[in-house]
Amino acid sequence: MREKSGGMKKKIAVFVSGSGTNLQQFIDRYRPENPLVDISVVISNNPNSHALVRAKAARIPFYVFKRSEYGTHSEYSQAMLDILFEYNIDLIVLAGYMVKIPHQLITAYPQKIVNIHPALLPDFGGKGFYGNFVHEAVIRSGAQYSGITIHFVNEKYDAGQIILQKKIPLTADETPDSLAGRIHQLEYIWYPQVIEWLCNDKIEQDVNGVRMYD
Ligand code: GRF
């Protein structure tokens, strides 16, 4: 096993579409100063996302990219890449981003894009499994546990290598809303932690899987 260096501050881009409560956790934890993580830019597909209000309040630059505003797919991806390169981004963090990541970004940032899913993948993942649809499906299935999955992003929805999973038991009278609330609490604990580990080179992915270093 090779020596890990770590310690260098990394620049992250956070991609959001919705309310941005995970983004808020990052802001609270990393701003104004964190030795490992700098939230350099926020990117959204949705100009009305409340997450952008949070970015603005924290004085983080933000940009909106809508596929419909670009003629070709490659113009659209190149515009995103231009911003990511301008801010020298090291790591892309998806936090409730509802749009497929262009493959040009996946190629440009190999093993440097991470997502969080509000269930225990590979179950309850893939197209259509987002928001309360996930929790409804989990409860309907009779599963005794749900949880969170933090994983690398590849070309397929919710199918990249898993970095970390945490599970919680369902209660007898669980509803999609109650489960969503408890899952969010887990996310707030673990997503900022995993991002710090990634920025500190404590986690590495290769063909043999994901390794974590002490
Ligand atoms: C989270 O539950 C996350 O697991 C999923 O999208 C949700 C985003 O919530 N990918 P928020 O916008 O951070 O509140």
Side-chain angles (χ1 to χ4, degrees):
M1 197 187 290
R2 76 179 170 83
E3 277 293 302
K4 304 301 296 173
S5 53
M8 276 272 288
K9 191 156 170 154
K10 298 283 168 56
K11 292 172 175 291
I12 70 168
V14 184
F15 282 45
V16 290
S17 299
S19 123
T21 61
N22 278 283
L23 171 66
Q24 190 64 52
Q25 296 298 315
F26 306 152
I27 291 169
D28 294 347
R29 177 140 166 178
Y30 306 139
R31 288 246 155 181
E33 213 25 68
N34 178 285
L36 298 172
V37 190
D38 177 61
I39 313 173
S40 302
V41 68
V42 168
I43 287 177
S44 183
N45 62 304
N46 174 10
N48 302 316
S49 160
H50 186 67
L52 296 182
V53 176
R54 302 177 191 274
K56 194 171 180 183
R59 297 173 186 276
I60 302 168
F62 60 90
Y63 297 84
V64 175
F65 293 97
K66 283 178 157 179
R67 173 67 188 89
S68 58
E69 286 173 359
Y70 295 86
T72 65
H73 192 75
S74 86
E75 283 166 351
Y76 162 69
S77 346
Q78 191 56 52
M80 287 173 121
L81 280 176
D82 288 347
I83 291 296
L84 295 169
F85 293 158
E86 181 182 328
Y87 285 90
N88 291 312
I89 294 304
D90 297 300
L91 180 72
I92 295 173
V93 175
L94 311 184
Y97 187 63
M98 305 298 288
V99 179
K100 196 153 202 258
I101 295 292
H103 72 89
Q104 288 92 334
L105 265 68
I106 292 171
T107 308
Y109 287 89
Q111 307 167 12
K112 297 289 178 198
I113 308 179
V114 63
N115 183 42
I116 189 163
H117 185 77
L120 297 170
L121 293 174
D123 295 335
F124 310 108
K127 216 177 162 96
F129 281 107
Y130 62 88
N132 269 9
F133 293 123
V134 177
H135 307 308
E136 280 161 17
V138 169
I139 293 169
R140 212 178 316 116
S141 77
Q144 298 194 337
Y145 292 89
S146 191
I148 58 169
T149 304
I150 299 172
H151 63 95
F152 286 110
V153 171
N154 64 14
E155 304 271 352
K156 289 194 201 134
Y157 273 118
D158 299 329
Q161 271 175 328
I162 291 172
I163 300 169
L164 175 134
Q165 292 187 303
K166 291 285 165 186
K167 61 181 189 175
I168 45 170
L170 267 62
T171 62
D173 56 354
E174 199 77 76
T175 65
D177 284 342
S178 67
L179 186 53
R182 292 195 300 129
I183 294 276
H184 261 122
Q185 293 307 317
L186 265 189
E187 295 186 334
Y188 302 156
I189 295 167
W190 289 104
Y191 210 13
Q193 178 63 70
V194 166
I195 291 164
E196 283 191 11
W197 284 336
L198 285 164
C199 289
N200 205 14
D201 293 333
K202 297 249 187 246
I203 298 170
E204 221 178 54
Q205 180 205 28
D206 65 19
V207 286
N208 299 314
V210 173
R211 284 193 304 264
M212 290 172 64
Y213 294 86
D214 290 331

